[in-house]
Amino acid sequence: MPRTVTVGFEGSPESRAAVEWAAREARLRALPLLLVNVWEPVPAPMGRSPMLGSSTQPGWAQHGETSVGPGARRILRDAADDVRRRHQAVDVSLEQLTGRATEELLKAAVDAELLVLGWHGRSGVAGFLVGSVGLHVAAHAERPVVLVRAGESAADEHVPDPSGAVSAEAPFRPVVVGLDAAHPDETLLRFAFEAAALRDTTLRVVHDPGPPPPGHGPHAGGPHTGGPPDTAPDLGDVLGPPGTPHPLRREFPAVEVVEESSPGKAADHLVEASREASLVVVGRRVRHSPFGAHLGPVTHTVLHHAAAPVAVVAHR
């Protein structure tokens, strides 16, 4: 069975944008699209709360804490039918699940090529609820998770013409990947190369230059004399010098790679680069510790401030 592009849907503007993005991605990857709705039972009084939004109220308010309401099922069917009409080349299916949203979405991610979720961060109580699910799933899923904000459209991913107009027929904006050049991971790089190749666009690799060699910092007392300086790897060390390219360069020869290395906070550079990106790719190291899985500070900052969809890729 082929993997699917799986998207969580609950009727909000964010999840509708996520469905649209996921449909385009499924078409690019020639994979089926699976729409998943998770019914999370809650007490009836909470289900009637206006903070949760009109799109999720019908089932909760009418059926209390035990069953999936007809309104929720209808919203999911209507969303699938809408995708089928606008993306006729995409094989669309849907699945209704019951349980805790985070747990069910993590299960759904296991068999997915990638999992797509709507994301609207910290806009009020309802936004916090949706945002907390997205953060939890991105911090625990071992498959890539893409978070998409409300209002994201196909035209946003493409280069505007000289007049500033945008069209889904124009070339894609670059894919941006944040790379720790001192500890590069092939899983992260492969996802970024594949995303750029699918879009026939440039791959911008953003990384910081690392600390200065001993004796060369702003407070150095004199020249370094202890042998060759210890420098952070540059992109040539990661992807190979011109004569001996990295295997991913050979596997994706059509992908132009542009290095961007600047001092300062990596998160700030990635957020700035996201303004001209079709997709931002960041990593999450899989940790087995008493504190559990979590997102690093760079990934967390990028998720909250990036202007483009963000893919979080787990790696060892």
Side-chain angles (χ1 to χ4, degrees):
M1 292 290 291
R3 290 186 179 272
T4 62
V5 173
T6 299
V7 55
F9 179 75
E10 34 70 37
S12 70
E14 293 74 23
S15 69
R16 292 182 185 279
V19 167
E20 180 62 22
W21 189 94
R24 300 195 301 270
E25 189 71 10
R27 188 178 63 223
L28 283 174
R29 294 176 178 267
L31 289 176
L33 175 67
L34 174 63
L35 276 66
V36 172
N37 175 261
V38 181
W39 174 265
E40 186 166 358
V42 296
M46 184 177 177
R48 289 189 287 268
S49 171
M51 294 184 296
L52 294 172
S54 60
S55 63
T56 54
Q57 286 179 19
W60 287 0
Q62 295 174 17
H63 295 268
E65 51 182 68
T66 59
S67 64
V68 180
R73 293 186 185 277
R74 184 180 64 253
I75 290 170
L76 184 60
R77 289 196 304 270
D78 289 349
D81 290 342
D82 186 48
V83 172
R84 292 187 183 106
R85 282 193 298 270
R86 290 182 294 104
H87 300 274
Q88 297 182 11
V90 178
D91 179 12
V92 181
S93 59
L94 58 158
E95 186 171 5
Q96 179 71 61
L97 304 173
T98 301
R100 292 188 59 187
T102 52
E103 293 177 358
E104 296 303 322
L105 288 170
L106 286 171
K107 291 176 186 176
V110 172
D111 295 322
E113 184 72 11
L114 52 88
L115 174 68
V116 186
L117 299 175
W119 166 252
H120 62 201
R122 298 168 290 186
S123 56
V125 175
F128 174 76
L129 291 172
V130 176
S132 66
V133 170
L135 286 178
H136 182 91
V137 173
H140 290 79
E142 299 208 3
R143 301 297 303 166
V145 177
V146 179
L147 297 176
V148 180
R149 292 182 183 273
E152 172 70 24
S153 70
D156 296 332
E157 301 176 343
H158 297 268
V159 178
D161 65 24
S163 71
V166 290
S167 166
E169 305 303 319
F172 276 94
R173 293 176 184 267
V175 170
V176 172
V177 59
L179 184 68
D180 179 357
H183 303 93
D185 181 83
E186 185 164 339
T187 301
L188 177 65
L189 279 170
R190 173 171 290 280
F191 184 93
F193 265 93
E194 288 178 343
L198 287 168
R199 291 161 173 78
D200 191 21
T201 192
T202 301
L203 177 61
R204 292 174 61 182
V205 182
V206 177
H207 66 93
D208 63 55
H216 289 72
H219 305 293
H224 175 64
T225 58
D230 295 324
T231 60
D234 61 20
L235 196 65
D237 295 317
V238 177
L239 298 180
T244 56
H246 189 282
L248 287 174
R249 282 186 182 269
R250 295 196 296 268
E251 186 175 346
F252 299 96
V255 174
E256 178 189 3
V257 180
V258 176
E259 174 192 4
E260 297 182 10
S261 176
S262 303
K265 294 182 178 179
D268 292 343
H269 295 310
L270 287 168
V271 170
E272 181 61 29
S274 75
R275 304 182 196 283
E276 303 296 332
S278 59
L279 179 68
V280 178
V281 183
V282 291
R284 176 186 70 81
R285 193 172 297 278
V286 176
R287 303 176 189 274
H288 300 286
S289 72
F291 302 103
H294 67 277
L295 298 171
V298 172
T299 296
H300 198 276
T301 298
V302 171
L303 282 175
H304 280 291
H305 299 288
V310 179
V312 181
V313 180
H315 60 86
R316 303 293 175 180

